[in-house]
Amino acid sequence: MADTTTVTVNIRRRPSISDPQGATVARALRDLGHDVSDVRIDKTIELQVPPGDADSIRAAVTEMCEKLLANPVMEDFEIVINP
Amino acid sequence: MADTTTVTVNIRRRPSISDPQGATVARALRDLGHDVSDVRIDKTIELQVPPGDADSIRAAVTEMCEKLLANPVMEDFEIVINP
Amino acid sequence: MKTAVVVFPGSNCEHDVVYALETLGGSADLVWHRDTDLSGYDSVVLPGGFAHGDYLRTGAIARFSPVMAEVNRLAASGAPVLGICNGFQILCEAGLLPGVLLQNRDLKFICKPIHLRVESTNSILTRAAQVGDVLEIPLNSYEGNFTAAPSELASLESAGRVPLRYSDASGNIDATNNPNGSTNNIAAVSNGNVAGIMPHPERAIELILGSADGRILLESFLESKVSSHV
Amino acid sequence: MSETLPIHQALGMTDDEYADVCDILNRPPTEAELAMYSVMWSEHCSYKSSRAFLGRFPTSAPWVVVGPGENAGVVDLGDGWLAALRIESHNHPSFVEPYQGAATGVGGILRDIFTMGARPIALWDQIRFGPLDDPHNRYLLAGVVAGVAGYGNAVGVPTVGGEVAFEECYSGNPLVNVMCLGIMRKEQLVLGTAGTPGTIAVLLGSSTGRDGIGGASVLASASFDAGSDTKRPTVQVGDPFEEKKLIEACLELYDRALVVGVQDLGAAGLSCATSEPAARAGTGMDVDLGRVHVREAGMSAAELLMSESQERMMAFVDPANVEAVLAVATKWEIDASVVGTVTAGDTLRISYNDRVVAEMPAASLSEAAPILRRDSAQPDWLEGLWADTLEYRETPDITSCLLEVLADPSIGDPSWVYEQYDHQLFLNTIVGPGENGSLLRIKGTEKALAVSTDGNGRQCYLDPQRGGANLVWEAALNVAMLGAKPMAVVDNLNFGNPEKPEVMWQFIETVEGMSLACEALGVPVVGGNVSFYNETDEVDIYPTPIVGMLGLADPAPRSVPRLDSAEEGMSIWMFGPQDSRNLAGSAFEKIIKGHVGGRPTSSNPTIGKAVIELAIALAQQELVPVMHDISDGGVAVTLSEVCIASQVGAHVAYSSWAGLFAEAPHGFIAAVPDNHAAAIRAIADDLGVPLNELGTFGGDHISFDDTRGGVTSIPLSEAGVAWSGAIRSRMG
Ligand SMILES: Nc1ncnc2c1ncn2[C@@H]1O[C@H](COP(=O)(O)OP(=O)(O)O)[C@@H](O)[C@H]1O
Ligand SMILES: [Mg+2]
């Protein structure tokens, strides 16, 4: 049995916020001859937390996201608790 | 019907490669009072490509990963073709 | 007036800011980010650098430093609070200024002198300057590309809270003289007694180093009095 | 493949070396011992192929405080100030992973400087790649520059100059060298010594992981070929944030006199940081690996001893100060662990999990390392190369030649590179990148330090002795033009495979040439680095020594000559030898003719010294607003660079077109204002430096008149476009 639970947080830049990195990568891929219409680059944060019930883990990680992991001005987050 | 297919590429730093960013974020979360034993930060790239059969999409995206998106000496990648 | 220059782990412009403020007749001390008492100070500078390595997002971790409670208190009391470069990013993350600073449009670090046009004198950075002045100041950043939600941008612009924009040497403001993709060429943002600036005025106070145009900005800051802008 | 090799061979050790280890220990080594000897005796750590020849360098002068052998050289600047300087290569790691390779190169050279007690104040990078039309070379350039920027900017040390060059021979083997300069007050000097028995060893900084295991011995001490992927150790990842905290913590320790010695952990990690300080102190040491803070569980003793995890330092501390040292670490938010105790005798004893895993004379790891006298022989192709000179029957089209040379990435504007580097931090940079050299003031004094770093692989390939000497003269002239007197050299010797006699010959000749020039100048070599095995698929790079010259301007001129200060009406004078120049190995022949042959002009110490004195006098007396040395591309390029920077045209006369593009040491041009002409002429005559009035600045064309009435006139704007796009247009 694992002694920690893995939680994956996907941090996604809001569509309204420009993404210079995604735009640059899209251009580079097209320069290399690939047919790509859009690229977005986001962050995935994987946390090891003490095991517990899903609700309390979700509550704790939500707090981490709101406080630190995501910037509400430009990002949304989604939490996946790995089974 | 969507006129593009969404492909998600998860780029993960190999476990043997040190991740100073993850370590710093772990320390910050602990300073804020959260119980977190380990943090890793990876990249997710979402591409819009022309629809087609899964095999040829996978082949094209694999080439993009090998050439540009992933760093072969430090990272592994995983391709998910969204249905 | 005595200024606290906050040192976060990873700050690196703190000594330069103290040197510049003192050269201009001010008085400044370095204070460590774990300090919890700034009662002896009547203004604050958050200097440039890479607080906490800029990991996660620039300024994201620094905003939780113990000293930030005092920075908030001083800001609320009307004391001048200035963020330069990384300090600007921290003030945005802390919610003392609106918006965020994204990676530069070309995804490259930029270190070079650029021109700024004074757009408003209603800020702790520009009160001694004149609208239309063009200043040459070094830019030194990877994440200097300012953006904000449309409603925030609209209110920044309509309230004249953009004291400085990127321009050319004659003061023209357009996409060709926007070094980093910043929305509306915004180089600095003001919120009453709080301001953030991306280029480094402390690097432009002596001609022997290339330009003395940063003096007027730091002199404005030193002349700003508590509560004068609230 | 290697599965059947004995373990010492798999670690890169020869059978003879293995026998030596058995002799030293009087028994076969344990696995941990073998690991330690293999890294410490690797080419990279032991200098076994080069040590016998490096003794040729002159290393002493009254102002040398610490010469070669310590982590960095240290010189006395007067009034209680010292400067520490060093240069390092990270060639192979940068080929494997350009960003991290360059970044960790910066991190490593910084540690060499602050280990000595000095605050690092500036960096210079010298980088070389294959041609930019190959996308892989563009990828390497972009990655290396981003790595230098990513680490240097974040750690908070400005990169104030450097070099960038392109040549086919670097395609499979880019060169990434980095130089660092630090300053300190005299009382802050610390050496890499373990102190006296009872002293406590405290490991500071990052945790130890499996990063770069075998990196030093494997990467830097062997060649690359198509099948070498499997040999590559884990890429080391730099953490500038950790290093920044480590710098501040160490400087506080020195300030408060809390340490007796310090050693950084670079190549060979803990093996080196325990054995070398003990050897220097003539002591032994007991080390407990179980107390090392680690980032991965289950590491073996050998792995802990060989790990090259970055951002670590070993401090040697009086037992009474250990608490205070740990408190400083806590304040700066870095980890620290007490890992050892210095002992009487000379035995280094390493234990792990209550077992002794290694026990040997501490000095045997460094001082008993083998010294090889490898065979050397002049290459059999060399004389043929010297004879291979081009005959020119007609005058080439000067306009198109000049524009093509200016647009070459090795000649044109390097600002695409240095605009990515913070070059102003600390407010010392009086002259930054883009000029003859860099000039940094020391605040609170009248002093300024000048540095120029120079390399020219093509000339050294054609004649390593002449080439090596010419570089020293070029670097010295560059600092002299900033008003500084040359005072110390650090060098980075990038060479091919030393097992080939012609490579050893190139190496020995280069050291000879550099030594002769340093002796003539009275400038000591205070430190350096050797990088061998720069070859790919058996093809060696050009021998590529890099010279880093430090000069002191005391006082600093108030108005320093710069390239952008020429004005309409000023005269253009050329100083130095007027007709010894030569097209052999020149940028002109390489770029326009695709030719590398002939024998470059040699230096002339008498003229060389006089020219340097002249340049210092002109700068110190503020007689000329512009000086620029004649190097790659000859007078034509030197003049064009001044015109482009100053935004003013020029009109000059020439007698032979080849003279416009030929290259030779000791020449420079200056912009001469009328009211200073007589004074300047008097000083030059007095010093015996020939001069030639070439023409005047003015207009918006760069014009060359031949003596028979022909005029070539190039719009300044066209020259500017060619020059500025050299790298930028290729890199986007
Ligand atoms: N890789 C680099 N990093 C920083 N500065 C550089 C780099 N390459 C060139 N420069 C700067 O550009 C200027 C011109 O370089 P270079 O053409 O090599 O000069 P020179 O031929 O006079 O030695 C120098 O001042 C140097 O410091
Ligand atoms: Mg030069």
Side-chain angles (χ1 to χ4, degrees), chain D residues 436 454 474 478 629 631:
Chain D
N436 294 307
D454 293 277
E474 176 174 356
N478 278 326
D629 70 318
S631 63

Side-chain angles (χ1 to χ4, degrees), chain C residues 9-16 19 32-34 50-53 55 108-112 138-140 202-203 206 208-209, chain D residues 153-156 239-241 244-245 331-333 416 419-430 441 443 558 562 732:
Chain C
S11 294
N12 60 30
C13 299
E14 67 273 20
H15 296 285
D16 295 358
Y19 173 86
W32 183 233
H33 78 124
R34 293 202 181 271
F50 292 72
H52 295 277
Y55 292 140
K108 283 204 287 285
F109 193 96
I110 301 173
C111 179
K112 64 175 184 190
L139 180 68
N140 185 70
E202 82 280 11
R203 295 186 176 192
E206 290 166 285
I208 190 172
L209 301 183
Chain D
N153 299 348
V155 78
D239 181 1
F241 174 51
K244 168 70 178 171
K245 295 186 293 182
K331 172 188 160 186
W332 287 103
E333 304 177 16
W416 183 90
E419 279 177 2
Q420 299 186 53
Y421 303 154
D422 183 344
H423 46 80
Q424 300 164 319
L425 186 69
F426 301 147
L427 309 183
N428 297 330
T429 314
I430 300 175
R441 66 177 173 184
K443 286 200 221 67
R558 277 163 309 139
R562 291 173 183 279

Side-chain angles (χ1 to χ4, degrees), chain D residues 156-174:
Chain D
V157 179
T159 302
V160 302
E163 272 191 287
V164 57
F166 304 88
E167 197 77 66
E168 285 77 0
C169 66
Y170 307 118
S171 257
N173 196 314

Side-chain angles (χ1 to χ4, degrees), chain D residues 124-127 159-164 410-412 414 417-418 421 432-438 452-454 474 478 628-629 631-632 641:
Chain D
W124 290 260
D125 64 326
Q126 303 76 34
I127 54 181
T159 302
V160 302
E163 272 191 287
V164 57
S410 295
I411 302 287
V417 174
Y418 65 69
Y421 303 154
E435 295 279 338
N436 294 307
S438 326
S452 174
T453 70
D454 293 277
E474 176 174 356
N478 278 326
H628 193 19
D629 70 318
S631 63
D632 298 359
E641 286 175 346

Side-chain angles (χ1 to χ4, degrees), chain D residues 439-504:
Chain D
L439 189 68
L440 304 170
R441 66 177 173 184
I442 302 179
K443 286 200 221 67
T445 75
E446 298 283 289
K447 300 176 200 296
L449 293 171
V451 169
S452 174
T453 70
D454 293 277
N456 186 334
R458 207 163 51 227
Q459 283 211 2
C460 294
Y461 167 68
L462 292 176
D463 191 323
Q465 187 177 131
R466 289 184 180 184
N470 289 352
L471 290 176
V472 172
W473 289 107
E474 176 174 356
L477 179 53
N478 278 326
V479 305
M481 290 185 296
L482 297 166
K485 188 172 158 20
M487 74 184 305
V489 159
V490 290
D491 67 278
N492 207 337
L493 304 174
N494 304 281
F495 283 77
N497 183 344
E499 294 157 29
K500 295 184 197 164
E502 64 268 26
V503 170
M504 276 320 290

Side-chain angles (χ1 to χ4, degrees), chain D residues 708-726:
Chain D
R708 291 174 307 280
V711 180
T712 304
S713 197
I714 304 167
L716 182 59
S717 55
E718 256 183 67
V721 166
W723 180 81
S724 353

